[in-house]
Amino acid sequence: MDKFDILTAIAAPLPEENIDTDKIIPARFLKTTKRSGLGKSAFYSWRYDENGKEREEFVLNREPYRQAEILVTYENFGCGSSREHAPWALLDFGIRCVIAPSFADIFFNNSFKNGILPIRLTREICEQLVEDTKMGANAKLTINLEKQEIIRPNGEKISFEVDPLRRQLLLDGLDDIGQTLQHVKSIDNFEEKRKKDQPWYPKVSADKLSS
């Protein structure tokens, strides 16, 4: 998982409430178990018409928002079914941070596990950031995870809260497997001891955890 430290990027507005996971990635694209390749189908029904042609009016089909790495949206983002493909699709599209007043719990948790930083801010502040995004190529926000602050285009700083453990894991670029692999030596020592104490116990080397 890529480390998340300081992100300065174009922010795109999605000023809608209750954007569910089926909007983020429709169910017909969930056949894959790979994390790559889903970005082209993110927000499919909004990005494309019935013939698969891009809708020019949709924000992520317009410049400079095609290069957006930050989304600013409204309440209950990521609601609906608990598909981890939703953060996979966002990440593959290039989104590293989503700012909203609130998130669905499962989407919120899955985002951290996949290297996306979800930031909760008040509706009032999110509306201000939506206005910032209308500046086009100048609609860049800086997200400083170490300092837990957002810097607006006008230089104003906005503080945000994030769980200390999740913050550190993003800074270190560690997902669940990465956390486990930090303890490879301890795991192997435990398995060796268990094998000696109980010869019938099957040994599992820690390096197999990453495969």
Side-chain angles (χ1 to χ4, degrees):
M1 193 168 77
D2 291 338
K3 295 181 179 181
F4 192 120
D5 185 6
I6 298 176
L7 172 67
T8 298
I10 291 171
L14 282 179
E16 302 279 346
E17 300 176 3
N18 304 310
I19 296 176
D20 62 36
T21 52
D22 194 56
K23 284 293 184 186
I24 298 171
I25 182 70
R28 62 184 179 277
F29 299 113
L30 305 187
K31 297 177 182 179
T32 181
T33 58
K34 296 181 179 179
R35 300 187 185 190
S36 60
L38 291 170
K40 63 181 181 295
S41 302
F43 301 109
Y44 192 91
S45 63
W46 286 346
R47 288 172 65 194
Y48 307 101
D49 63 18
E50 60 276 9
N51 298 314
K53 183 180 178 181
E54 285 191 354
R55 301 180 190 270
E56 294 180 2
E57 68 274 14
F58 184 61
V59 62
L60 295 179
N61 289 339
R62 303 199 310 264
E63 295 293 348
Y65 304 109
R66 287 179 180 274
Q67 284 76 48
E69 296 179 60
I70 302 168
L71 290 182
V72 183
T73 184
Y74 291 159
E75 285 85 358
N76 204 26
F77 187 83
C79 58
S81 61
S82 55
R83 57 188 66 164
E84 193 169 2
H85 292 71
W88 291 359
L90 292 177
L91 189 65
D92 194 60
F93 181 85
I95 302 300
R96 294 298 312 277
C97 178
V98 182
I99 302 171
S102 61
F103 297 87
D105 287 343
I106 294 176
F107 175 85
F108 186 77
N109 293 328
N110 283 339
S111 293
F112 282 106
K113 293 179 180 181
N114 288 281
I116 296 176
L117 173 62
I119 297 177
R120 294 188 182 113
L121 295 174
T122 66
R123 172 65 177 252
E124 179 182 6
I125 293 177
C126 286
E127 289 175 346
Q128 293 173 9
L129 295 179
V130 165
E131 289 301 310
D132 286 346
T133 66
K134 296 178 182 179
M135 298 171 65
N138 293 320
K140 288 190 176 182
L141 299 177
T142 294
I143 314 294
N144 188 319
L145 181 56
E146 181 73 43
K147 295 183 177 180
Q148 294 181 210
E149 65 183 19
I150 299 170
I151 303 175
R152 298 176 64 186
N154 64 6
E156 178 188 355
K157 295 180 180 179
I158 300 170
S159 297
F160 63 88
E161 297 295 326
V162 62
D163 176 80
L165 175 59
R166 285 172 163 168
R167 170 178 167 273
Q168 193 58 52
L169 291 175
L170 281 177
L171 288 170
D172 293 338
L174 294 174
D175 57 13
D176 289 346
I177 294 175
Q179 292 179 66
T180 302
L181 292 177
Q182 287 189 304
H183 307 285
V184 167
K185 183 175 290 187
S186 296
I187 293 171
D188 282 342
N189 288 341
F190 174 84
E191 291 294 336
E192 287 294 337
K193 184 176 184 303
R194 191 70 173 263
K195 184 179 179 181
K196 292 178 181 178
D197 295 343
Q198 301 177 20
W200 52 267
Y201 186 80
K203 182 180 184 300
V204 179
S205 176
D207 58 10
K208 294 182 179 180
L209 293 170
S210 60
S211 61

